Structures are given as C-alpha cells and as structure tokens.
Amino acid sequence: MMHEEAQLVIMLRNSATGFLETEYAAMPLAEIGETEALLVNVFAAQGEGGVNIHMKVSTPEDVANWQYNAIYDYYDTEVFARDAASVLEVEDVVNPTWEIVFAWADAERGGAELARKVRAMLEIHRAELDDTLRVIADKEGDYADGV
C-alpha cells in the first residue's frame, strides 16, 4: 500500500467573489514541521503588485480567558516588520489570532521555497508567542478582574 504524504494546499482567492477557486501551490506538511499546529489557515490573493500570501496564526491550544487580552497586549507584531507586508489582530475568535500577509513573487518556485517562507513565518510567530507567554505568566491578577 502506497502512502501519500500529507500536503498543505494554498488556494487562490477570487478577488471579486472572495471564494477560494484554484490551487496556487502545495507543499508537504513535513516541510512545515511542528509549527503546523500554529497555522489556522492560509490562502493566496492577487494584490496590487502580485500575489500575497495570507496566513492566520494562533496559539497551539486554547488559552484561559485572562490570557486572551494579555497575549494581545504583549505580543509584538513588529517582529514581522522585515518579512511581512502587514500583521493584523483578528477579532471575534476564541484564541488570539493574527493574519500575516506577505508578497510572493513566483508561484513557479513551487512548494519548497514557499514552504520555507511559511515555516520561517511560523517560527517567528512561535518565538514571539513563547516570549509573550513567559512575560504574562505572572500577570493573571492584572487581567483576571477584567474577565
């Protein structure tokens, strides 16, 4: 029996309808590694200068109510300043979530190059999230009253 390797497929979103319509790229999940748990979703969209990759990232597990605001308060989106066009907080979600957008110039470079970029962004996110969780570990009293 032949086992196919699990793939992360990035779909291209139609700018007029908002629907994901065609496959833009695919990459083996193994190339993303353990950081896959931080990825909520990813898609491609045509931008002014070409294709942009939109990645939503979050926490690997549910956070306590008090941690939700604390994480947003201490998470520094500037860690992506060199690598991403924008990083936005996503509201109305269960766990802290950010949408990272970066330009991608060449779909023909395929899954390996894009997988390296996706993994790099996820690793930046993981490092910042780990730092944030360390900083807020003793701040429950500061946030628990507002919950």
Side-chain angles (χ1 to χ4, degrees), residues 64-133:
N65 288 340
W66 72 268
Q67 289 175 304
Y68 185 88
N69 288 331
I71 289 170
Y72 275 136
D73 286 349
Y74 285 89
Y75 187 98
D76 183 10
T77 59
E78 290 299 314
V79 297
F80 294 99
R82 191 174 55 110
D83 299 304
S86 67
V87 180
L88 302 170
E89 293 177 359
V90 178
E91 298 179 5
D92 299 327
V93 290
V94 174
N95 289 311
T97 302
W98 298 264
E99 182 172 4
I100 303 165
V101 179
F102 61 91
W104 189 251
D106 187 1
E108 297 304 313
R109 290 201 294 189
E113 285 295 315
L114 188 52
R116 279 192 277 283
K117 180 70 172 185
V118 167
R119 184 175 184 154
M121 297 301 232
L122 288 169
E123 287 174 352
I124 292 168
H125 168 65
R126 179 177 53 191
E128 182 58 23
L129 185 61
D130 287 350
D131 287 347
T132 300
L133 291 172

Side-chain angles (χ1 to χ4, degrees), residues 21-40:
E21 293 186 343
T22 59
E23 184 177 318
Y24 177 75
M27 63 194 73
L29 280 177
E31 291 186 30
I32 296 171
E34 65 202 37
T35 57
E36 171 196 351
L38 302 170
L39 185 62
V40 175

Side-chain angles (χ1 to χ4, degrees), residues 63-71 139-147:
V63 299
N65 288 340
W66 72 268
Q67 289 175 304
Y68 185 88
N69 288 331
I71 289 170
K139 300 197 180 308
E140 182 174 1
D142 297 343
Y143 287 90
D145 293 337
V147 176

